[in-house]
Amino acid sequence: MNSIIRNSVLGIAGLAFAGGVAAGPLTDAHTPAVDAAPVAAAVQADKPAVDTGKLVPHGVQGAQSRIDLSDEQVASTKAIIAATKKAGMDERAAVVSIATALQESKLENLGHLGDRNDHDSQGLFQQRPSSGWGTVEQITDPEYSTTAFLKGLKQVDGWQDMPLTKAAQTVQVSAYPDHYAQWEQLAADLVAKHWNS
């Protein structure tokens, strides 16, 4: 059925419903019956939607921060999601990872920052070679650094049932443990947008 006829049928059906009219069948002997299945199929997405309830299962804590992302930051987001999938972990693990990287580096793959550096912290997650996270080359590789973070997350008993900031802090051991919470909604939005892209 062409889209003009389908739109006309849907418009008439909508008017009948909205106006409270008890409409009979929209077809007569000269008009073929309309099958609603193709309309439903036409609006289905090519890929399944992310279950947003799983992204923020405990609700967000505190005020939320947002930033506009550059192409580099979007690429970092996609790299974290790809590494999460490769590790066999779910969308919630990606939310925790992205929120952590937002807090640590604003999703920028940072090298050594000289005097502004926190000890020898580098990369998306500000991991430290001196703390055993890997070499500088490794921790500035988004796939490696994400996998290292996720390995730590897997070792946290019940991380799936914890508020995001507690799960992230258990892995990161930050001087500012509550700061991860502010990025949860943005991280969830990014996972919803890019998980199936």
Side-chain angles (χ1 to χ4, degrees):
M1 172 180 293
N2 72 34
S3 62
I4 294 173
I5 293 173
R6 182 175 359 148
N7 290 340
S8 297
V9 169
L10 291 174
I12 292 168
L15 287 173
F17 179 78
V21 176
L26 296 176
T27 61
D28 64 22
H30 304 294
T31 307
V34 175
D35 182 7
V39 174
V43 297
Q44 287 178 342
D46 291 343
K47 299 178 182 174
V50 173
D51 182 353
T52 55
K54 290 181 179 180
L55 300 180
V56 186
H58 310 291
V60 297
Q61 296 178 335
Q64 296 295 294
S65 296
R66 295 194 80 81
I67 57 172
D68 292 326
L69 301 185
S70 68
D71 291 344
E72 174 192 354
Q73 291 165 310
V74 171
S76 295
T77 298
K78 290 179 178 181
I80 291 171
I81 289 171
T84 303
K85 289 179 177 182
K86 190 173 180 179
M89 296 182 77
D90 66 6
E91 294 95 329
R92 178 63 179 164
V95 171
V96 174
S97 300
I98 291 170
T100 301
L102 278 161
Q103 174 57 33
E104 296 292 350
S105 69
K106 303 296 184 282
L107 289 168
E108 294 175 357
N109 196 11
L110 301 173
H112 197 284
L113 299 175
D115 292 341
R116 298 180 302 132
N117 220 56
D118 178 23
H119 304 286
D120 55 341
S121 301
Q122 297 187 50
L124 293 172
F125 294 88
Q126 289 295 281
Q127 296 158 331
R128 296 176 58 193
S130 64
S131 295
W133 284 100
T135 66
V136 170
E137 184 177 88
Q138 289 172 322
I139 63 177
T140 55
D141 172 10
E143 181 179 348
Y144 176 92
S145 63
T146 303
T147 302
F149 175 81
L150 292 170
K151 183 178 177 183
L153 188 62
K154 284 181 185 180
Q155 294 172 2
V156 177
D157 285 336
W159 71 266
Q160 302 91 331
D161 299 320
M162 292 178 181
L164 179 142
T165 197
K166 185 175 180 184
Q169 172 62 9
T170 305
V171 178
Q172 293 292 103
V173 193
S174 170
Y176 306 99
D178 297 325
H179 287 144
Y180 301 108
Q182 70 183 309
W183 300 106
E184 188 164 9
Q185 190 60 60
L186 177 56
D189 293 345
L190 291 169
V191 171
K193 181 177 181 177
H194 297 291
W195 185 263
N196 289 319
S197 64

